[in-house]
Amino acid sequence: MQTKVMFYVLPETDKTSEETAHNDKTAEQEKHALIHQACLQAAYFYRQNQKVFIYTQDQTQAHDIDEMLWAFEPDSFVAHNLLGEGPRGGSPVEISWKNPTIRRPVLINLTGTMPNFTNNFSTVVDFVPTNELLKQQARDRYRACKQWGFLVESQPAPVIN
């Protein structure tokens, strides 16, 4: 089965002249938008009864995703846990900065590279941030996926209200 990869292009953050002078604020906005988009995708696949692995850049980002999923969409809970926590076999959505230990069909990649275990997943979700350095890393991941023979597509990320 061929791995399908979808790159979601994140929208430009609204920048005022004051915010442009303080790039930390826009970087923080982009970080929040990326985490929110990952949670949206995890919730979507969870509702499709798909098991998801969210691969994060580091432990802090894993905890940020975990926290956002607890507060995400109060009407519908997304069963999730950090790798090694929760029920035996993990929750439907598992989050970690370490390699997965259980095979799942969906990978949400939040790292700067395409992990070497990507071919173990049938569906991969990745993101193209607006920051130029991060955008270039996304282009490199896109190229790697094409070279590995994956079916690669891109589209604008869903709008957050």
Side-chain angles (χ1 to χ4, degrees):
M1 175 183 239
Q2 187 177 30
T3 300
K4 296 176 186 171
V5 183
M6 177 59 73
F7 280 85
Y8 287 102
V9 180
L10 298 178
E12 291 286 332
T13 55
D14 295 331
K15 297 177 187 175
T16 65
S17 57
E18 185 178 316
E19 288 174 353
T20 304
H22 297 80
N23 284 340
D24 289 345
K25 186 170 183 180
T26 54
E28 191 63 30
Q29 287 173 329
E30 188 163 60
K31 175 183 159 187
H32 180 78
L34 178 65
I35 290 171
H36 189 89
Q37 286 291 336
C39 290
L40 278 175
Q41 292 300 316
Y44 168 79
F45 286 107
Y46 173 73
R47 289 188 192 96
Q48 304 298 315
N49 293 317
Q50 296 282 325
K51 291 198 172 215
V52 177
F53 183 74
I54 303 175
Y55 190 51
T56 63
Q57 192 70 40
D58 54 32
Q59 186 174 4
T60 300
Q61 189 180 44
H63 286 282
D64 290 347
I65 297 256
D66 181 46
E67 288 300 314
M68 185 174 279
L69 279 173
W70 280 115
F72 196 69
E73 297 184 6
D75 298 356
S76 62
F77 176 70
V78 175
H80 69 281
N81 62 265
L82 293 169
L83 181 69
E85 296 179 353
R88 185 177 177 168
S91 290
V93 176
E94 196 166 57
I95 310 158
S96 186
W97 63 100
K98 298 177 183 177
N99 292 5
T101 56
I102 298 172
R103 206 169 173 119
R104 294 167 178 270
V106 180
L107 168 66
I108 298 175
N109 182 38
L110 299 176
T111 68
T113 61
M114 195 54 69
N116 60 3
F117 54 77
T118 302
N119 62 337
N120 293 333
F121 295 85
S122 57
T123 303
V124 178
V125 174
D126 205 314
F127 301 94
V128 181
T130 58
N131 172 284
E132 284 305 316
L133 173 63
L134 300 177
K135 192 182 292 186
Q136 183 56 52
Q137 290 175 352
R139 288 181 185 123
D140 293 342
R141 292 192 304 275
Y142 187 97
R143 265 192 300 281
C145 289
K146 290 292 248 185
Q147 289 173 347
W148 292 342
F150 298 161
L151 177 62
V152 185
E153 297 178 23
S154 67
Q155 69 181 40
V159 177
I160 303 169
N161 291 328

